Structures are given as structure tokens and as C-alpha cells.
Amino acid sequence: MHCALRHPKDFQLTGPGGEMTQGADQAWFPTLWQQRAGCGPTAAALILAYLARRRPELAPLCPEDVTNRGDFVEHMCRVWEYVTPSIHGLHRPEMMRDGLTAYARDRGVTLSPAILTIPAARSKRPSFAEVSGFLSRALERECPVAFLNLHNGRVAELDAWHWVTIVSLDGNTAGILDSGQALDIDLSLWLAATRRRGGFVSALGEEL
């Protein structure tokens, strides 16, 4: 099965010298702590901006034009106030869910994000089919998915203790945005090999 967001160019951001990135980089935050801990707020900012552009009823989530880096950093800083890392970072999917919900509420929008939690114990984890189903349902609704991985297993393209944004799924391969780049990762390998818990957050929730 192949599922992908239909407007990947919405993630293209123009830097001060005219260079283009695919998505944002937490290194753009203004403070050192934000640069170190800001992967979750960066993923949230990308998701909120995409939803605002693609769904008129969600436009208040990001009414500004944030197609250049400077404006997008301002958006990232606003999101940080709600999707705020603790001393351990944004280390639980519930922190992402609650931050997205509060951010939307203060802009007059209702979001009810859904979580798929990946326990540390392999015997308690959902199957890859369940993970694939969760992601596919979100992507088919034009909703990027926030992905928390606390241990990258054998997936070299992933950083540990890190959030990225999932924008496509093709079989076992997930397309992600991380540090201003589009990358492909073997998500089934991650699910099988990670040694810690993790999770996925769909900002639009699950349709009943």
C-alpha cells in the first residue's frame, strides 16, 4: 500500500540566501536549549502549518504565510509555548497530543489527536499492520503524523530520542522530514529493533 500527502511542496521553505529545505530544522530555534530539545515542537509546527493550508476550517492554526525560514521560525516559537519539552525532552506521545490540543484551542479550533503507543516490551507492541493502518488513515486524510522514536534500533537514518514528521508510507518504507531534509526509513525494521518505547500522533484523530 502506498499513501502520501498530496502536497509535499507545502513543506518547502526558503532560506535567507534563497536555498530551499524540505521541512524545518530545530537548529533554527534562537536559543541553545530550543535547538537541543526542539525536535517535537518543530514536527508540530510543520503539521499545524500543513493542516492550516489544506483545510480552511483549520486556517487559524497558522494564518500567516510561513513559506520563508524567518516567518516559519516565528511559527515554531509560538508552537514551542504549547508543545514544550521537559528536562527529558518531549519524551511521551501524550505531551505532543496535549500540546497540539491546547494550541488549537487557544486559536478557536478543536483538535482531538489520536495516539498509537509503542511499548518498550516487544510482546506488547502493535503489529506492523496496525502501525501501517494508523499511518495510512491519517495520510489519506491529508494529515502528517508525528513520530517519536527513543531508540533507533538498526535504522541508521534515524536519530535516537527524536521526533520526525511522517509524510508517506510505501510498504515498509516511511517518508519522513527531519532537519530540513526528506528521508526514507524502514519503519518495520524500527518497530522490530527499537529497544525503547515510542509512538505516533495524528493531529486529526481517528474517524469513527
Side-chain angles (χ1 to χ4, degrees):
M1 175 183 290
H2 175 76
C3 296
L5 299 177
R6 293 190 289 275
H7 302 278
K9 289 186 177 180
D10 283 4
F11 294 109
Q12 291 182 349
L13 302 173
T14 305
E19 68 278 13
M20 301 290 292
T21 59
Q22 191 68 11
D25 191 334
Q26 70 193 74
W28 300 346
F29 273 114
T31 73
L32 183 59
W33 169 240
Q34 288 176 317
Q35 293 164 13
R36 289 178 174 175
C39 56
T42 301
L46 285 169
I47 291 166
L48 292 165
Y50 189 87
L51 292 176
R53 178 175 284 192
R54 288 296 140 201
R55 288 177 171 251
E57 71 275 17
L58 299 183
L61 296 175
C62 184
E64 304 84 4
D65 178 1
V66 292
T67 54
N68 72 74
R69 182 182 301 183
D71 291 334
F72 198 86
V73 169
E74 291 184 14
H75 172 58
M76 288 164 58
C77 290
R78 288 191 293 269
V79 172
W80 173 281
E81 297 301 317
Y82 294 84
V83 184
T84 310
S86 71
I87 191 65
H88 301 293
L90 203 76
H91 63 291
R92 293 185 292 110
E94 292 82 2
M95 298 172 73
M96 175 68 77
R97 176 198 63 196
D98 295 348
L100 290 171
T101 302
Y103 177 95
R105 182 188 61 236
D106 281 0
R107 281 151 184 77
V109 174
T110 299
L111 289 181
S112 300
I115 291 175
L116 181 63
T117 300
I118 308 300
R122 288 188 175 90
S123 61
K124 296 181 180 180
R125 291 177 188 169
S127 67
F128 184 72
E130 291 174 285
V131 172
S132 176
F134 181 88
L135 297 176
S136 297
R137 289 190 294 274
L139 294 170
E140 287 169 356
R141 297 172 67 198
E142 282 289 271
C143 182
V145 178
F147 168 34
L148 171 65
N149 114 85
L150 296 180
H151 182 272
N152 64 321
R154 298 195 300 275
V155 181
E157 297 85 1
L158 276 177
D159 291 331
W161 214 274
H162 195 50
W163 286 91
V164 298
T165 307
I166 295 179
V167 297
S168 67
L169 184 67
D170 189 358
N172 295 339
T173 301
I176 66 169
L177 301 180
D178 185 24
S179 302
Q181 299 181 72
L183 304 169
D184 290 329
I185 61 167
D186 187 333
L187 195 60
S188 63
L189 177 61
W190 175 83
L191 183 65
T194 185
R195 298 177 185 175
R196 295 181 181 270
R197 55 187 171 81
F200 304 88
V201 182
S202 170
L204 293 183
E206 288 269 76
E207 289 185 317
L208 300 177

